[in-house]
Amino acid sequence: MEDLHERRRKMSSEKGEMILHTRIMSSSEDNLKGFILALLSSGFIGASFIIKKKGLRRAAAVSGVRAGVGGYSYLLEPLWWIGMITMIIGEVANFVAYAFAPAVLVTPLGALSIIVSAVLAQFMLNEKLHQLGILGCVMCIAGSIIIVIHAPQEQPISSVQEIWSMATQPAFLLYVGSVIILVFILVFHFAPQCGHTNVLVFTGICSLMGSLSVMSVKALGTSLKLTFEGKNQLIYPETWLFMFVVAACVIMQMNYLNKALDTFNTAIVSPIYYVLFTSLTILASVIMFKDWEGQSAGSIVSEICAFIVVLSGTILLHATKDFDRSSSFRGNCTPLSPTLSTRLCNGNGEMLQHDEP
């Protein structure tokens, strides 16, 4: 009897180890899929801004009226539409990436779109990349590689109700409550008083709402992923609630990011927004999805240091982007955030402040 009991215990232990190994392998594969999708997203989005700008120049050369002074001839330019379609493809890839990989991995990789945009601008638009800008690109790449190496393995999720339980845990509810209170204070107190003189007001609102929108995008993306796998999540009200939160947060982001871009220089708004948005998104993901749970202290420190390197490279690239170029280029926008709202708003800014052909 003891031998039989011992054999059953060993079989149960081996079965548990096999299940755990399968889950780890599945999680690693999902991280790889998310990483590849994030890279594709950065490539498509970075390229889309160059293609759109080339289309804007071509349209202005044909019509003689720039988009920045009210011209809409770019709507008849096929190259501009190719750029828009490329951006949409990139956004879809980014959305799906969040369904496979943790935000700690996907969000910082959005900075790679800057590199794509900067390199393509040098070859396609003859816009010189400064040596310090090249250093910034190298820093972004190096930091991204370290983040990928030390990226956490995400816990497998089986239903949207499981995500809802994560979203309603006390720690994350405290974060959501803090974000809502801060947004209300910024909107109703600081925005009327110093919103047009302090860049942190409008960008702070966008960043705070952006962190909630990414959590909702990840929840919605995971729900759709499970639905496509045959586990219908559309029957649960939580899925539709996450969809509503995504829409509400994106609309608010677009509104206040447009205000920030209209009030302040894009070279100031973009890096500040990227730093705040990415930092808050990673914080929200760590709280809600417990991305760092089970990781060693060394891996966490490595991810934080790599994130700082990526941020420094981003700021350096933006700080040097006005070097060795004409003053008409100062209004050009570079895609930074992994959210759709930022790219739409940056795209509007680019059309409003377009170069002379």
Side-chain angles (χ1 to χ4, degrees):
M1 288 294 292
E2 290 183 2
D3 290 341
L4 179 61
H5 179 72
E6 183 67 19
R7 283 199 298 269
R8 287 178 177 176
R9 188 186 65 80
K10 288 182 178 179
M11 289 176 63
S12 177
S13 176
E14 290 174 359
K15 185 178 180 181
E17 290 178 358
M18 288 178 62
I19 293 173
L20 179 61
H21 179 71
T22 302
R23 287 183 175 179
I24 291 174
M25 289 294 293
S26 176
S27 179
S28 299
E29 290 176 1
D30 283 350
N31 267 18
L32 179 61
K33 291 176 183 177
F35 168 67
I36 293 173
L37 286 167
L39 286 183
L40 290 173
S41 172
S42 294
F44 276 109
I45 290 168
S48 72
F49 276 76
I50 303 304
I51 297 171
K52 281 170 59 183
K53 187 168 184 179
K54 203 168 182 63
L56 288 168
R57 286 184 172 181
R58 185 179 295 181
V62 172
S63 66
V65 181
R66 292 170 49 213
V69 294
Y72 293 97
S73 58
Y74 60 86
L75 294 175
L76 300 176
E77 174 55 51
L79 194 60
W80 186 85
W81 283 107
I82 291 174
M84 283 297 296
I85 293 171
T86 304
M87 186 187 76
I88 292 171
I89 294 172
E91 290 296 346
V92 172
N94 189 73
F95 176 85
V96 178
Y98 278 109
F100 286 99
V104 174
L105 170 62
V106 176
T107 304
L109 291 178
L112 297 180
S113 61
I114 309 170
I115 300 174
V116 175
S117 182
V119 172
L120 289 180
Q122 178 160 343
F123 290 103
M124 297 179 65
L125 301 176
N126 296 320
E127 294 168 356
K128 187 177 179 181
L129 183 62
H130 194 270
Q131 290 181 348
L132 289 177
I134 297 174
L135 176 61
C137 292
V138 173
M139 291 173 67
C140 288
I141 294 173
S144 297
I145 291 173
I146 297 173
I147 289 174
V148 171
I149 292 173
H150 295 280
Q153 300 295 330
E154 198 167 42
Q155 295 296 324
I157 297 172
S158 58
S159 71
V160 69
Q161 293 174 317
E162 189 176 338
I163 304 176
W164 180 254
S165 66
M166 295 178 183
T168 53
Q169 60 183 306
F172 189 69
L173 287 177
L174 179 61
Y175 176 80
V176 173
S178 302
V179 166
I180 293 174
I181 291 172
L182 286 173
V183 167
F184 266 89
I185 293 173
L186 288 172
V187 169
F188 295 106
H189 179 70
F190 288 101
Q193 293 186 4
C194 55
H196 290 82
T197 57
N198 191 331
V199 68
L200 292 177
V201 177
F202 292 148
T203 54
I205 296 171
C206 296
S207 303
L208 288 165
M209 296 305 297
S211 66
L212 297 184
S213 71
V214 169
M215 295 303 100
S216 300
V217 162
K218 183 167 179 58
L220 180 60
T222 304
S223 299
L224 295 176
K225 173 191 168 188
L226 291 170
T227 299
F228 290 134
E229 290 176 351
K231 304 173 184 177
N232 187 10
Q233 303 298 304
L234 300 179
I235 60 176
Y236 299 110
E238 290 86 353
T239 301
W240 300 99
L241 180 60
F242 283 128
M243 190 179 298
F244 171 78
V245 174
V246 169
C249 290
V250 167
I251 289 172
M252 194 164 185
Q253 279 181 271
M254 290 177 65
N255 180 38
Y256 282 95
L257 190 57
N258 273 326
K259 289 184 178 182
L261 291 171
D262 185 56
T263 305
F264 303 98
N265 192 305
T266 307
I268 297 174
V269 174
S270 293
I272 291 176
Y273 177 67
Y274 177 75
V275 170
L276 291 176
F277 168 81
T278 309
S279 301
L280 289 169
T281 297
I282 291 176
L283 175 61
S285 182
V286 167
I287 295 173
M288 179 173 171
F289 293 98
K290 295 181 172 57
D291 292 328
W292 286 344
E293 194 173 81
Q295 277 200 298
S296 65
S299 294
I300 295 174
V301 171
S302 297
E303 288 173 38
I304 294 174
C305 292
F307 175 55
I308 293 173
V309 170
V310 172
L311 294 182
S312 301
T314 302
I315 293 172
L316 182 61
L317 186 57
H318 268 273
T320 59
K321 74 175 188 175
D322 281 332
F323 291 178
D324 301 322
R325 64 183 181 183
S326 65
S327 60
S328 65
F329 185 65
R330 290 173 188 160
N332 180 46
C333 301
T334 304
L336 283 176
S337 167
T339 60
L340 174 61
S341 58
T342 307
R343 279 137 191 177
L344 287 175
C345 292
N346 278 352
N348 293 340
E350 184 183 57
M351 287 185 284
L352 290 172
Q353 296 178 315
H354 170 58
D355 289 344
E356 290 285 359

